[in-house]
Amino acid sequence: MLILECPYCGVHADETELAPGGEAHLKRFGPGSDIDDFEGYLFMRENPKGLHFERWRHAYGCGKWFLAARCTATLEVFGTYPAQSAEPPQSIKDAITAKRPGWSWRDFA
Amino acid sequence: MSTRLSTAGRLIDTAKPIKFSFNGKTLQGYAGDTLASALLANDQLLVGRSFKYHRPRGVVAAGAEEPNGLVNLGSNGTFEPNQRITTTELFDGLSATSQNHWPSLEFDVGSINTHLARFLPAGFYYKMFIHPRPLWKHVYEPFIRQSAGLGKAPKDRDADTYEHFNCTVDVLVIGGGIAGLAAAAEAGRTGARVLLIEQTAAWGGRAVVDQPTIDGQTAADWVTTTLAGLAAMENVDIRTRTMGAGVYDHGYVLAYERLRDHAPKASGPRHRLWRIRARQIVTATGAIERPLSFAGNDLPGVLLASAVRDYAVNFGVGIGDRTVIATNNDDAYRTALALHDAGLQVPVILDARAKGGGELADQARAKGIRVENGKAIASVKGGKRVTGVSVCLQAGQGAVLEEISCDCVAMSGGWSPVVHLWSHCGGKLTWDEAQAMFRPNNDRPPTGADGEAMVIAAGTANGHLYTAEAIADGWSAGRAAAHAAGFTAKPEAIPDGSDVPELPLTPVWMMPQGAGYDLRSKSWLDFQNDVKVSDVQLAAQEGFESVEHAKRYTTLGMATDQGKLSNINGLATLSGALNIPIPSVGTTTFRPPYTPISMGAIAGVARDDLFQPIRKTPISGWHESNRADFEPVGQWRRPYAFVHKGESVHDAVKREVTNTRTNVGLLDASTLGKILVKGPDAGRFLDMLYTNMMSNLAVGKCRYGLMCSENGFLMDDGVVARIDDDTWLCHTTTGGADRIHAWMEDWLQCEWWDWKVYTANLTEQFAQIAVVGPKARQVLEKMGGMDVSKEALPFMQWADGTIGGFDARVFRISFSGELSYEIAVPASQGRAFWDALLSAGAEFGMMPYGTECLHVLRAEKGFIMIGDETDGTVIPQDLNLGWAISKKKDDYLGKRAQERSHMADPNRWKLVGLETLDGSVIPDGAYAVAEGMNPNGQRNTQGRVTSTYFSPTLGKGIAMGLVLHGPDRMGEVIEMTKGDGTYIKARIVDQVFYDKAGEKQDV
Amino acid sequence: MSEVVNVRDLGSQGMVTLRGDMSSKAFKAACKALSELAIPDRNKITEADGKGIVWMSPDEVLLLLPHADAAAAVAQFAAAMGAEHHLAVNVSDARALIAVEGPFAAEVLAKLTPADVHPAQFGPGDFRRTRLGQVAAAIWCVAPGSYRVICFRSVADYTLNLLSASAEAGPVRHF
Amino acid sequence: MKRYSVFAIAREAMRQHTGWDRAWAKATPKKKYDAIIVGAGGHGLATAYYLGKNHGIRNVAILEKGWLGGGNTGRNTTIIRSNYLQDPSAAIYEKARSLYETLSQDLNYNVMFSPRGVMMLAQTQHEIRGYQRTAHANSLQGVTTEFIGPHKVKELCPIINIDGPRYPVLGALWQSRGGTARHDAVAWGYARACSDMGMDIIQQCEVTGVRQANGKVVGVDTTQGSIDCDKLGIVVAGHTGVLADMAGFRLPVESLCLQALVSEPIKPCMDVVVMANTVHGYMSQSDKGEMVIGGGTDGFNNYTQRGSFHHIEETVRALVETFPMISRLKMLRQWGGIVDMTGDRSPIISKTPLGNCFVNCGWGTGGFKAIPGSGWAMADLMAKGEPGPLAAEFSMWRFREGKFIDESVAAGVAH
């Protein structure tokens, strides 16, 4: 039963107050885009056993979407940050590096 | 015999006799008794039958680890099977019956199995009943099921209520023994929010039975003092009868409080399920004594040594007059001493250790108790109860040296810490060679959200069997937990416990060491599931080498006690058979709950009317009092039809359709989604959301729009109204309101966060009522107010104004093909407006209609319905809705997906109308068959029906469906499945069956 | 039983959703003008003589006022914001307001919400959007033993019954 | 290998069961195999079995990082049914169900297939239409199902509450030859039969790398050394993503935790499997007497085999409403398994970007019931190098074309 801190309202929300939204930092590919890119955008997922970046919505709360850095093997949470982020903030990256030196996820490291 | 001793027990109040019944026999116990102690006090040793061989079973333990003492408790609405008698507190009028036997407990036909035992080894059913095939289902399986299964199935609805409670604490201490008490006291001193829970009704755990000295007082006095101290702390809550059931991720703990099991007549919930968020968890859950594996160790009268002691000290019950004690450690000597002090005989203590015991042994000898070192039990004599034991050398193969008559055997194979809660969430274990036990590996604890340790094991649960160590460990666990949760205080003196020094135990996994097959096949490991030493050895022999395989193959540890007594002995036996060390065998996974918890408690208050929320419109009250036949739509309940007296539901629908087409109908459309979208970028946003162009919609006008998922599939539709320059109102389907609003917010927050758009879900702010039918305008004009003429308010436009004095927003839109006004008024006025419409409409024959009429009306008109024409695999193009897909836009959600080969495939099934040649109604779900079979031998298909109804207006069946190249095959006749293997002929026609020109809705 | 927790529907209550840049002068001024109140910190509510402002999310507050004044307030806010991007809507009828009052009122809520409503953590002026049983709700503490619950109108009956059942089941005596 | 029978039992009983040999042989890796299957769960073992039985390929190794059958095969709710809506699903699940009918005889191992009947409750008008549609589809797919009314439901399952206040039972989709089987026995039976054919089942052998040369797989690195092979089959359910990563390609798969629980055993009171999708719960009674209950899946990636408790709560809540008598039963044990979900919740049985490397995954919540059919189709694919009719539609590339096999459309959800 996860607890995640909503970066908007600061509430340490119970899992039952949140709605999971799948993998984070997906780039949308629209009309005319390459089929591989489009397939990657809609279907291909990192699905790592370990560090993962994912989307959550504080559904039973302020209603805002946010992103979380979490380990899928231990459920450790390294931090949460606003959905309006092209990549994880340095503070989160540092927090991960402290626990998982040499980590990488897609283009992030 | 088993009887009540003159020496009163600690926990019972002989001044308060209690009457109860067992198998119809009325018996007496005392306040403070458990059902087990009360039965034993009445010499009722035999309490049940085992699972597989239906062997006679007696109580073996005194606590939650009891595998045998399970009964059917209560009757009717309070009946409950598999109640554990050692944890069932006695109450006046308690009525219990024993389980798993026929015809009676004393004489059980099923016990024939015990004589067939040699034919029923581990996994026998995998090897037989294979031929002939039908016999398995019809003969063997029913027999196996009937003979398995323990308690009876409840029949009635549960008469009790349950509830949940959520709380957040800094430190949760599980276990009210001296370690737990010390932990709670120390954590409490720091000011941390502390919750201490104990599964039984009494504090102090084992210490108060054996009474070591703590801080110069007896353990009992120390417990009393400590409890007083805890009670005085504002920040500490202590609870008995509350079991730590499970530890989950991020400090989530389930606790199971049994509020009324001991007092059924009291009011309030029966159980309370605690959902605790703890920053730190201390598991001071104690340890469980292990049985010894010797032949006949399953006979009634063979108990754990500690249990025999508990019954004597706590309940003043002597299990036998003559008790033989078998042990491999010093602790069991305490039982001998306790029995001796209670005036009972202990003919001999058989200590499997060559050198025997320490100080406690000396005390025993001093009292004249015979102590035999290096000796063991070869076998126990007796049938339904112990009559004696034959003694042999532990080192030998069981050659009998002497026979000793006795009526009770107290066994002790050493102690195993209760590591369940430590292990639930990933805590690792380590094998302690010296004490022959798995204990928590404190270097690999369960970790929480921050990746740091969240559980600390304490006391005997942490492998510290001595009082001094246990209490000190508890103290430091409490201190460490509080500190980890951010609380500290100046340390005070560590509670000081004193112990009689003990000699180390010697692991004894088989008694005697060299027991032959005849003995091994009578030495029980799992008493309830009838798993013997020989079964585990057979599993190993057949290659079931992993502990998980052996467990599943033999069913060891899969009984209702989940192996609390059998697991360690079982895997020690396995390691012996495989000749590998115990730690390499490993343990099975510990899963919640620690002991079984009621389904009622898990469901909590969510039963009957509170099972799930029922969403109501402002007009629901009227529906309920006017014979509405409801259908659930999401969490809403919408009237399916309003059934008049003497009508069938079908008649009602016909009447509603005809009346709406000829006079005027009234529909409560309040459940439709109404989402306001506002801002400088709102138009641009809606152009991305809808397949249509919405930015160019003129203020005051309405437009029907489609929404697709990024996969291209049609997911919702509805009418969009342009409110003002930067504001649109989007109508969604009933089911879509919340989903689509969340969908909008998702895109606005996560993709186009620089766009200036705000949304608000106004679905519940308004009651929306559709006035539908040729006389709709007359009704509104009669009510007076705004001009609703065709000129002032043409089709597909909206206007604000008043109607009959109500502030209203009126939409000229139609989902029926009739002249139609959808009128939104503030929800608080919805019911009054509805009533006003009804009275104004009376003279025009106005009648309310339900969802089924709505469906028929739209089907006659050929309008699609999300969920009928769509199913998550249909794209707008399939439904000939290309006209609603803007060609001007280079992007909208779903557009890219619709460019994919399969989406653009000309062979996709397309929407058409269907009507049977004989006017009958095509069955729901019918498929259109095509010639031949596919490579998998399945009949080919060329389409399916999506909506099919009897049309009262046309007096025949009408349908819509998706058909291969349908629109190009008008007039063609295809065959549809009837479902009974036959087919019905249907002609492909235009999907619009009524008012093809669309004149009626535009008058 | 002397200990009783009272659960009742407070009837019609004016509520207006205001969305916009809460840091902007215009937004603050407009709120002030409507309520005489300052915008509260996050997860807080400010209340005074029949009016209140609730922090709902980083770009949204909820204005509490008499039901009759809601429509006018919407217009007034819109006027005050002028061209600045905002949203003001009357949601009075979309929601219900419930009072939960009595010695163990906090425990009644704790039976239904995962939020930590221990009086030591959730006191007067504290506000939380969360879940009660299976529905969304907003709760705040007016005074010790006195709480308010806002839920959607369509589930008002469910929420009332849920709270009543929890109240009738009696205190837990944990808080 | 000694045949199992009542006579064998009797013979062994007379000599203290000393004559039973290992159910499957202990094996150490050879240098090279014609085919290597990664994953000794039900699907992997069945694949190996049919490679040998149907295609004569017996120089096969099945590699298992833990213990055979120790994954989802041993932690599911053992439901077997084939009442699926879409043709490809119905085909492979019905193939599996029909193989289950005679599996005990084929394997000479009693897997206790119990065709007691499976019903899926319709509790809304929408569900009625959905299940009627499925019944029509099944009638053309050679799957025997029927849509039955509430009274037949009550007659088949007396403990059900058909007129609950919230969701009365309006009917059900009934498959009389659906049912359950003993999950462990399925894995053990296949393993024994594979071993009997001379195949090597190598447990405690984790694959650490996939070796390839010019676009083709040539072997694997394992914790027991390197092993060469001509063909590689990846059949590791929730851990498919990890293996695919080693093989150098990605799959449209996510790993989630699915939960289940059992009650304490009681005397027989329910002789059918009931699934109630509107309220999200399903239940059957095991031969031991436990009520076996399926819970929900977490919505987030999870490899811990520990799900979130609120799913258990929702499921039990639903079932107490549907079967009021279980309120006073007790939950004995809850657990979780890692299931692999694809974009359309249907499986993948497919070639991969790596030559001679094949994958079988994505069974999500529906794996156990499919084991024999899945193994049959995967063996066919590995033997011929091209998918046969059963596997044809389950390509890993179908998503890019939008060619979904979506079962959720039939109001039902797969279990």
Side-chain angles (χ1 to χ4, degrees), chain D residues 104-183:
Chain D
S104 295
Q105 294 69 34
D106 298 347
L107 300 177
N108 177 231
Y109 202 94
N110 186 358
V111 301
M112 300 177 216
F113 173 61
S114 172
R116 55 185 63 178
V118 174
M119 64 169 67
M120 301 171 97
L121 303 181
Q123 294 179 283
T124 64
Q125 295 296 328
H126 185 253
E127 260 185 322
I128 294 180
R129 290 192 289 269
Y131 286 142
Q132 284 177 338
R133 176 181 167 189
T134 305
H136 280 271
N138 290 163
S139 71
L140 299 174
Q141 294 158 337
V143 178
T144 310
T145 60
E146 62 176 313
F147 189 85
I148 58 175
H151 298 295
K152 185 75 191 294
V153 169
K154 184 76 179 171
E155 178 188 320
L156 288 162
C157 184
I159 64 171
I160 204 167
N161 171 26
I162 61 168
D163 36 41
R166 190 69 182 85
Y167 294 110
V169 174
L170 307 171
L173 180 65
W174 169 243
Q175 181 173 28
S176 60
R177 293 301 290 182
T180 61
R182 177 84 178 91
H183 54 12

Side-chain angles (χ1 to χ4, degrees), chain C residues 64-113:
Chain C
L64 301 175
L65 71 179
H67 190 273
D69 306 349
V74 169
Q76 188 186 334
F77 185 84
M81 291 297 282
E84 184 171 324
H85 176 40
H86 73 281
L87 175 72
V89 280
N90 180 357
V91 294
S92 312
D93 288 3
R95 299 165 189 196
L97 179 65
I98 298 169
V100 183
E101 293 163 324
F104 61 96
E107 291 188 335
V108 170
L109 294 174
K111 292 178 182 188
L112 304 171
T113 175

Side-chain angles (χ1 to χ4, degrees), chain B residues 197-522:
Chain B
I197 58 176
E198 159 59 36
Q199 63 182 345
T200 71
W203 297 100
R206 295 211 56 75
V208 287
V209 176
D210 297 334
Q211 294 290 7
T213 307
I214 303 172
D215 288 342
Q217 343 167 42
T218 66
D221 292 343
W222 181 86
V223 167
T224 315
T225 327
T226 310
L227 282 170
L230 287 167
M233 296 186 192
E234 273 292 303
N235 55 318
V236 178
D237 180 19
I238 63 174
R239 304 215 155 224
T240 54
R241 301 187 176 105
T242 306
M243 175 194 68
V247 173
Y248 301 79
D249 291 285
H250 292 195
Y252 185 90
V253 179
L254 275 191
Y256 180 61
E257 184 174 18
R258 297 164 65 196
L259 294 158
R260 282 176 40 243
D261 281 351
H262 63 292
K265 291 187 184 65
S267 65
R270 175 176 172 235
H271 298 150
R272 177 182 295 135
L273 192 68
W274 288 64
R275 297 183 289 191
I276 304 161
R277 286 287 190 177
R279 288 183 179 82
Q280 286 288 306
I281 302 156
V282 175
T283 55
T285 44
I288 291 173
E289 194 170 30
R290 289 192 297 258
L292 286 166
S293 304
F294 48 79
N297 62 346
D298 70 320
L299 289 183
V302 180
L303 287 81
L304 296 171
S306 57
V308 172
R309 197 152 84 237
D310 289 345
Y311 286 115
V313 176
N314 287 340
F315 305 102
V317 170
I319 309 296
D321 305 328
R322 291 170 54 81
T323 302
V324 167
I325 290 171
T327 183
N328 66 339
N329 64 77
D330 278 16
D331 183 65
Y333 284 83
R334 295 196 171 92
T335 301
L337 297 167
L339 294 177
H340 184 275
D341 295 348
L344 297 165
Q345 293 179 37
V346 178
V348 67
I349 298 173
L350 302 170
D351 190 328
R353 295 172 295 182
K355 296 208 172 39
E359 234 176 274
L360 290 163
D362 302 338
Q363 291 180 27
R365 289 198 192 82
K367 290 179 188 281
I369 300 175
R370 175 183 168 201
V371 177
E372 292 284 345
N373 294 335
K375 298 287 177 59
I377 292 178
S379 68
V380 182
K381 308 260 162 288
K384 289 185 187 128
R385 74 178 300 159
V386 174
T387 58
V389 299
S390 48
V391 180
C392 67
L393 289 174
Q394 168 61 17
Q397 302 187 333
V400 177
L401 305 173
E402 71 177 299
E403 309 249 329
I404 298 175
S405 75
C406 62
D407 53 0
C408 174
V409 175
M411 58 182 168
S412 177
W415 292 78
S416 300
V418 173
V419 295
H420 299 63
L421 293 159
W422 167 270
S423 305
H424 282 166
C425 204
K428 297 289 179 282
L429 303 175
T430 175
W431 177 251
D432 180 328
E433 199 64 53
Q435 304 189 91
M437 62 166 65
F438 277 106
R439 56 175 171 73
N441 177 346
N442 297 308
D443 299 332
R444 300 182 62 191
T447 55
D450 56 3
E452 305 303 319
M454 67 176 190
V455 182
I456 304 175
T460 47
N462 195 24
H464 299 292
L465 298 186
Y466 279 108
T467 306
E469 293 173 3
I471 201 163
D473 194 46
W475 182 88
S476 44
R479 189 164 183 77
H483 186 267
F487 297 83
T488 44
K490 235 186 336 73
E492 277 177 8
I494 303 177
D496 170 32
S498 71
D499 300 85
V500 183
E502 299 178 19
L503 289 186
L505 92 173
T506 307
V508 171
W509 306 118
M510 187 65 238
M511 185 174 261
Q513 203 173 351
Y517 181 84
D518 55 335
L519 294 183
R520 285 184 276 120
S521 60
K522 294 189 189 64

Side-chain angles (χ1 to χ4, degrees), chain B residues 619-643:
Chain B
I619 301 153
S620 292
W622 190 93
H623 303 331
E624 277 156 27
S625 43
N626 286 272
R627 303 174 55 95
D629 184 72
F630 285 103
E631 73 161 317
V633 182
Q635 286 183 325
W636 298 98
R637 272 164 86 235
R638 300 190 69 185
Y640 179 87
F642 296 91
V643 185

Side-chain angles (χ1 to χ4, degrees), chain B residues 971-982:
Chain B
E972 205 176 305
V973 173
I974 54 178
E975 285 194 321
M976 313 284 300
T977 54
K978 265 175 135 173
D980 57 4
T982 67

Side-chain angles (χ1 to χ4, degrees), chain B residues 698-765:
Chain B
V699 173
K701 291 211 176 325
C702 303
R703 180 174 292 161
Y704 173 73
L706 304 173
M707 277 190 223
C708 294
S709 67
E710 269 291 67
N711 251 315
F713 300 123
L714 184 53
M715 65 178 203
D716 207 71
D717 68 348
V719 170
V720 177
R722 180 85 175 258
I723 303 303
D724 61 36
D725 186 45
D726 74 346
T727 312
W728 282 254
L729 179 67
C730 303
H731 289 100
T732 74
T733 59
T734 294
D738 298 334
R739 189 164 38 87
I740 297 301
H741 182 239
W743 170 249
M744 289 178 170
E745 281 297 320
D746 190 347
W747 287 101
L748 285 171
Q749 291 179 38
C750 304
E751 185 71 19
W752 303 307
W753 63 73
D754 51 337
W755 294 11
K756 286 186 158 43
V757 181
Y758 287 127
T759 70
N761 185 348
L762 298 181
T763 302
E764 302 203 10
Q765 173 65 17

Side-chain angles (χ1 to χ4, degrees), chain B residues 479-667:
Chain B
R479 189 164 183 77
H483 186 267
F487 297 83
T488 44
K490 235 186 336 73
E492 277 177 8
I494 303 177
D496 170 32
S498 71
D499 300 85
V500 183
E502 299 178 19
L503 289 186
L505 92 173
T506 307
V508 171
W509 306 118
M510 187 65 238
M511 185 174 261
Q513 203 173 351
Y517 181 84
D518 55 335
L519 294 183
R520 285 184 276 120
S521 60
K522 294 189 189 64
S523 301
W524 263 255
L525 292 168
D526 189 315
F527 298 110
Q528 187 185 118
N529 273 4
D530 282 317
V531 181
K532 300 155 295 168
V533 170
S534 56
D535 293 313
V536 172
Q537 290 169 329
L538 176 61
Q541 170 189 333
E542 295 191 81
F544 295 88
E545 296 171 342
S546 91
V547 60
E548 276 295 341
H549 280 168
K551 164 192 161 185
R552 289 154 177 266
Y553 190 64
T554 62
T555 73
L556 176 97
M558 295 173 82
T560 60
D561 65 316
Q562 290 284 288
K564 289 185 180 64
L565 292 187
S566 59
N567 275 353
I568 302 298
N569 289 351
L571 59 95
T573 305
L574 184 60
S575 91
L578 298 170
N579 194 22
I580 56 173
I582 288 173
S584 340
V585 174
T587 64
T588 55
T589 317
F590 294 87
R591 297 283 190 180
Y594 175 59
T595 64
I597 63 177
S598 68
M599 301 284 186
I602 297 170
V605 292
R607 282 168 44 180
D608 306 329
D609 291 345
L610 293 179
F611 165 56
Q612 272 186 11
I614 294 180
R615 298 179 69 181
K616 297 179 176 177
T617 75
I619 301 153
S620 292
W622 190 93
H623 303 331
E624 277 156 27
S625 43
N626 286 272
R627 303 174 55 95
D629 184 72
F630 285 103
E631 73 161 317
V633 182
Q635 286 183 325
W636 298 98
R637 272 164 86 235
R638 300 190 69 185
Y640 179 87
F642 296 91
V643 185
H644 291 178
K645 288 208 167 50
E647 272 185 336
S648 71
V649 176
H650 183 68
D651 300 337
V653 173
K654 274 173 68 177
R655 171 181 46 76
E656 291 173 4
V657 171
T658 310
N659 187 70
T660 307
R661 290 260 184 244
T662 51
N663 296 316
V664 56
L666 201 58
L667 176 77

